[in-house]
């Protein structure tokens, strides 16, 4: 009898605690115990430590996102960087510093590789309709970097960063984006992915990938924002209420 493992994968929580709680509740209802976070725990949204705490408690694996990396390591200290940086506890800062930028595993004979934005660079961004010549590197690996535990090209690669969920087939290899949990820009509802297959098994067998959308109390997040002096709050409120990116306004 085949016993398939279910893995919940989400990204870009961005300090949206009500959205995170709604998604974790949905995952719990499905009795999924393997939960992977692909970075950007904080930034943009109002809640910092409670968001990281929940992810630390529930996520079995996680990677560093570009916002996380920037807050930890950038020499810049202007707003809004300073606002978020000043709120991260020492314990949660140490947790973020401990995270890898990529990890991989076998699932039903397929090499699955997960990261925030790109396997070699948390700041390199690939959109759904970008030049196909850049797609190949999304499946690639490094011989020198020990974070790539499987020295093969991925069969399934997954990432976050762009806040738009999608799945594309490239000659039998699959690239997917989880979309964003805390700041979706393709819908008002947070998204996450469920991978199903035989975990850590390099023998071919059945596998699947499913996208899940979870409604949540957006106005509670708005209230959370308005109870703080969070910078760029109007832009963030517009985005979570509409599910659309707010273009930079002319001054």
């Amino acid at each position: 009898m085949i016993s398939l493992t279910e893995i919940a994968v989400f990204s870009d929580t961005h300090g949206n605690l009500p959205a995170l709680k709604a998604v974790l509740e949905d995952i719990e209802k499905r009795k999924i115990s393997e939960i992977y976070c692909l970075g950007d725990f904080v930034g943009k949204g109002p809640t910092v430590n409670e968001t990281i705490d929940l992810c630390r408690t529930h996520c079995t694996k996680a990677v560093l996102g570009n916002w996380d990396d920037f807050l930890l390591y950038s020499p810049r200290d202007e707003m809004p960087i300073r606002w978020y940086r000043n709120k991260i506890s020492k314990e949660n800062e140490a947790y973020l510093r401990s995270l890898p930028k990529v990890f991989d595993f076998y699932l039903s004979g397929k090499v699955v590789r997960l990261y925030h934005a790109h396997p070699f660079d948390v700041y390199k961004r690939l959109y759904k309709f970008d030049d196909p010549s850049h797609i190949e590197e999304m499946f690639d690996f490094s011989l020198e970097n020990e974070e790539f535990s499987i020295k093969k090209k991925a069969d399934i690669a997954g990432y976050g960063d762009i806040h738009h969920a999608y799945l594309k087939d490239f000659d039998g290899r699959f690239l997917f984006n989880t979309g964003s949990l805390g700041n979706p820009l393709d819908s008002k509802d947070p998204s996450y992915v469920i991978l199903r297959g035989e975990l850590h098994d390099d023998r071919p067998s059945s596998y699947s990938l499913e996208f899940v959308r979870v409604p949540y109390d957006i106005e509670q997040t708005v209230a959370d924002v308005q109870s703080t002096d969070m910078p760029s709050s109007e832009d963030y409120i517009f985005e979570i209420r509409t599910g659309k990116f707010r273009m930079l306004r002319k001054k």
Side-chain angles (χ1 to χ4, degrees), residues 41-42 46-54 56 68 71-72 81-98:
F41 295 80
V42 294
T47 311
V48 177
N49 288 303
E50 290 166 280
T51 300
I52 300 174
D53 288 342
L54 263 185
R56 288 177 60 194
D68 312 318
L71 293 174
L72 290 175
I81 302 163
R82 188 185 314 126
W83 193 88
Y84 295 105
R85 185 176 283 160
N86 288 343
K87 291 186 177 300
I88 300 176
S89 70
K90 294 296 183 184
E91 185 178 20
N92 283 331
E93 180 182 335
Y95 169 72
L96 294 179
R97 290 183 185 277
S98 73

Side-chain angles (χ1 to χ4, degrees), residues 145-160:
N145 187 340
E146 293 182 357
E147 290 182 354
F148 295 84
S149 62
I150 303 174
K151 305 302 185 183
K152 295 180 179 179
K153 284 185 177 290
D155 301 297
I156 302 170
Y159 71 114

Side-chain angles (χ1 to χ4, degrees), residues 134-166:
H134 297 297
I135 297 295
E136 186 66 27
E137 60 198 60
M138 300 295 277
F139 297 94
D140 215 345
F141 66 97
S142 168
L143 288 171
E144 294 76 26
N145 187 340
E146 293 182 357
E147 290 182 354
F148 295 84
S149 62
I150 303 174
K151 305 302 185 183
K152 295 180 179 179
K153 284 185 177 290
D155 301 297
I156 302 170
Y159 71 114
D161 184 54
I162 61 172
H163 299 209
H164 285 257
Y166 74 85

Side-chain angles (χ1 to χ4, degrees), residues 33-225:
S33 58
E34 287 287 326
I35 305 174
Y36 301 163
C37 176
L38 303 189
D40 276 10
F41 295 80
V42 294
K44 302 197 73 173
T47 311
V48 177
N49 288 303
E50 290 166 280
T51 300
I52 300 174
D53 288 342
L54 263 185
C55 290
R56 288 177 60 194
T57 299
H58 292 278
C59 295
T60 46
K61 287 183 179 292
V63 297
L64 197 71
N66 59 307
W67 264 89
D68 312 318
D69 185 87
F70 198 76
L71 293 174
L72 290 175
Y73 302 112
S74 173
R76 293 170 57 184
D77 194 39
E78 71 270 19
M79 289 295 188
I81 302 163
R82 188 185 314 126
W83 193 88
Y84 295 105
R85 185 176 283 160
N86 288 343
K87 291 186 177 300
I88 300 176
S89 70
K90 294 296 183 184
E91 185 178 20
N92 283 331
E93 180 182 335
Y95 169 72
L96 294 179
R97 290 183 185 277
S98 73
L99 295 177
K101 293 181 178 178
V102 62
F103 65 91
D104 47 31
F105 54 93
Y106 279 103
L107 185 74
S108 295
K110 302 294 184 182
V111 176
V112 180
R113 185 159 292 126
L114 303 178
Y115 42 83
H116 178 69
H118 185 278
F120 308 122
D121 187 348
V122 294
Y123 296 100
K124 189 167 184 177
R125 184 158 291 161
L126 184 88
Y127 288 100
K128 181 178 179 180
F129 300 108
D130 276 357
D131 183 347
S133 66
H134 297 297
I135 297 295
E136 186 66 27
E137 60 198 60
M138 300 295 277
F139 297 94
D140 215 345
F141 66 97
S142 168
L143 288 171
E144 294 76 26
N145 187 340
E146 293 182 357
E147 290 182 354
F148 295 84
S149 62
I150 303 174
K151 305 302 185 183
K152 295 180 179 179
K153 284 185 177 290
D155 301 297
I156 302 170
Y159 71 114
D161 184 54
I162 61 172
H163 299 209
H164 285 257
Y166 74 85
L167 171 66
K168 294 188 75 173
D169 177 0
F170 296 94
D171 297 324
R173 290 183 297 172
F174 298 98
L175 178 66
F176 73 89
N177 191 285
T178 63
S180 173
L181 185 153
N183 185 204
L185 297 175
D186 52 1
S187 165
K188 291 187 288 185
D189 295 332
S191 66
Y192 74 96
V193 164
I194 299 175
L195 293 172
R196 295 184 184 88
E198 296 194 57
L199 185 59
H200 305 310
D201 195 331
D202 61 1
R203 296 170 299 179
S205 61
S206 61
Y207 63 97
S208 65
L209 184 152
E210 174 187 355
F211 287 91
V212 182
R213 293 280 181 176
V214 183
Y216 77 104
D217 188 349
I218 292 173
E219 292 309 309
Q220 179 58 61
T221 301
V222 172
D224 291 347
V225 172

Side-chain angles (χ1 to χ4, degrees), residues 2-14:
I2 296 176
S3 177
L4 300 182
T5 298
E6 292 190 316
I7 305 167
V9 187
F10 62 77
S11 187
D12 296 86
T13 301
H14 283 298

